[in-house]
Amino acid sequence: KFMPLDCVFEAYDNPEEAVKERLAQTKRMCEKGIRHWYEAVQGATAGTETTTYYQKYIEMKCLYVRNAIERLLDETEGMESGTTWTQCCQHAIDKLKEAGFGYIDCERTVRKWYNQIQNNEEARFPNPDPQIASGEVAIPPFFVEFPEALQAFYNHADALADKDELSCEEMFDYVNYKLIPYLVKKHNKDLPEAEKITAVNFLL
């Protein structure tokens, strides 16, 4: 859990150096997260929509984990001080409680938050959106509504790729000038004139 991301053991003279680097990486990430919550969340950006409560919650988690790591780094100059990670997590709680942050009492909570970071591929807190957290690509609502359109989209992309002609411009033209008009025509096929819709209304 404490080893650096993509660690190559040959690059370190001893495990102590590797552990300290991993801790320093996480500490820097938490310091960014204290200032800007999205810096500490997988797949989040400054434009990500969420609640103020969630933002403050992430900043709080960063604050506790950062203080626990700082304590461990201060106490383990020779890695033989006898200080444990559990003690460091409790120290962070006690220190922040003195400063007026009495949000949590149990060191297990800080350890759990640290593990959330280390168990994530991006070394961030997992995104609350399960689709983003799982690494899956979100499907646009248009294709969710019309799965046959998604299949047609894939088929056209494959055909262009086979001819080495696949590009964003080609797919944009296909969707807007062929796929959507086809779906509108299909929708209007058996409707009386008064109930037929335009392409613009079709997408609303």
Side-chain angles (χ1 to χ4, degrees), residues 167-186:
S167 68
C168 292
E169 292 79 9
E170 287 286 348
M171 295 308 298
F172 178 87
D173 288 345
Y174 173 71
V175 171
N176 286 281
Y177 303 126
K178 292 186 178 181
L179 186 56
I180 291 176
Y182 165 78
L183 292 172
V184 172
K185 183 178 179 180
K186 182 179 178 181

Side-chain angles (χ1 to χ4, degrees), residues 68-79:
I69 291 174
E70 183 176 58
R71 175 68 171 183
L72 185 61
L73 290 173
D74 288 345
E75 288 292 317
T76 54
E77 287 300 321
M79 300 295 283

Side-chain angles (χ1 to χ4, degrees), residues 115-131:
N115 287 339
Q116 287 176 347
I117 298 171
Q118 304 311 320
N119 291 335
N120 185 271
E121 290 183 359
E122 296 182 17
R124 300 284 190 275
F125 287 110
N127 197 292
D129 184 329
Q131 192 168 48

